Structures are given as structure tokens and as C-alpha cells.
Amino acid sequence: MERIIKYGGKLFFGSLIICILSFFYFKLIPYSQVSNLIGYVFLEVFLGYNFYIGYRYKLNIKESLIVGTLGCGFGIFLLFFATYTYYILQDVYWGIWMVEFYFLPTTSFINDFFNNMTLNYTVFLILFNILLVLLGSRIRFLKEKIVSVKQKNNLYAYKDFL
């Protein structure tokens, strides 16, 4: 449990730092095609960090799902209040505005592929980030499995050579 909280905290605060940096970038720099292309770096770092946390630490399936959920805690927290504002208070603008800070690293992607935003994008982003942590941990597990089989086969080949 201690490992889960430790790695979930790393993912949470790392994602928070990426969101803060992207906030300053997208809010201070005027929109242009060049700034939009440079903004894709934030998208790659934001999604890549989720994958990296899953890949870097040896997590089983249950642990990686929990770590991914803890890492998306900020987005889940904002989504809770945005859902209340969006559906109960019937204020679409403020509902989207509340979760905008969480999906700011993906603004370049949004500008290129979406006309209007809904809360569904935030839910998709949260699930995708959790999936990236799971995918990173499973790829590491498969890599270690393949390397151990390869080393075992090389050991037999070396003994046959002697």
C-alpha cells in the first residue's frame, strides 16, 4: 500500500506540474500554428509521464490501476464539481471552465480535432491516463519475461558450446 501511495503521489504531482506549465504556456502565448505545434510537446509529456510511471515501477494490474486513479485524482476532483455545475446548475460554460485546467496539456490536440468541448473529453482523458499506466506496467512485465526467456536460452547455448 505504501508503494501505491508513493507512486500515485509522484504521478499526481508530476501531472499537476505539467498542467501548471501548460497553463502558463497556453494562457500567455498568443495562439498561432507554431505555438499549437509546440504545444504538442505538453501533450507528449503529459501522456508519456503516465506511461513512464507504469513502466518505471514494477506494478501488478491492481496496483497500476490504483496508481493511475490516484494520478488522475486532480482531474477526478475537478470533474466532480464540473459535473455538478454542468448538470445541476445547467451552466455549460462554467462546467467546462472548471475542468479546463486538467486538460490544458492537450489543448493543441483539442484545437486540431474538436469543435466544442464536453465533459466527456475529461472522462476519456482520465480513463486514457489510467490505461497508459496499466499499459506501461504490462509492457515492462512482458519485456522482463522476454529477456528472462532469452537469457535462459542463451545460457543453454553457452553450455552446448563448451
Side-chain angles (χ1 to χ4, degrees):
M1 187 65 176
E2 183 179 320
R3 288 177 29 153
I4 293 172
I5 293 173
K6 179 181 176 183
Y7 302 141
K10 282 185 178 187
L11 182 58
F12 177 84
F13 288 111
S15 297
L16 185 62
I17 289 170
I18 295 168
C19 286
I20 290 169
L21 291 174
S22 65
F23 173 78
F24 287 122
Y25 178 77
F26 286 111
K27 294 299 179 181
L28 296 178
I29 295 181
Y31 178 77
S32 69
Q33 286 297 101
V34 175
S35 67
N36 197 37
L37 286 174
I38 294 171
Y40 272 104
V41 171
F42 287 105
L43 174 69
E44 292 175 18
V45 170
F46 185 62
L47 297 178
Y49 188 65
N50 285 286
F51 181 82
Y52 171 77
I53 291 293
Y55 185 81
R56 172 75 172 88
Y57 304 107
K58 291 183 179 180
L59 303 170
N60 60 31
I61 293 173
K62 181 181 164 185
E63 289 174 336
S64 61
L65 289 173
I66 295 171
V67 167
T69 304
L70 288 174
C72 295
F74 181 64
I76 294 169
F77 175 76
L78 291 176
L79 183 64
F80 173 74
F81 290 108
T83 304
Y84 174 77
T85 305
Y86 194 88
Y87 291 110
I88 305 298
L89 299 178
Q90 299 292 318
D91 193 351
V92 176
Y93 174 77
W94 288 107
I96 300 296
W97 180 83
M98 285 180 156
V99 291
E100 180 183 12
F101 187 73
Y102 182 68
F103 61 71
L104 267 174
T106 63
T107 299
S108 295
F109 180 75
I110 293 168
N111 290 339
D112 288 343
F113 296 105
F114 291 100
N115 293 333
N116 56 356
M117 290 302 305
T118 62
L119 293 181
N120 294 337
Y121 179 76
T122 306
V123 173
F124 169 75
L125 186 61
I126 289 169
L127 293 176
F128 190 64
N129 284 339
I130 294 170
L131 180 69
L132 282 173
V133 175
L134 177 66
L135 188 65
S137 68
R138 294 295 87 197
I139 287 177
R140 175 167 180 150
F141 175 76
L142 287 173
K143 184 193 94 168
E144 289 177 353
K145 192 94 146 158
I146 289 169
V147 167
S148 69
V149 168
K150 194 178 213 182
Q151 287 175 348
K152 193 184 297 185
N153 289 340
N154 286 344
L155 183 62
Y156 292 134
Y158 181 70
K159 285 180 183 178
D160 292 340
F161 181 71
L162 293 175

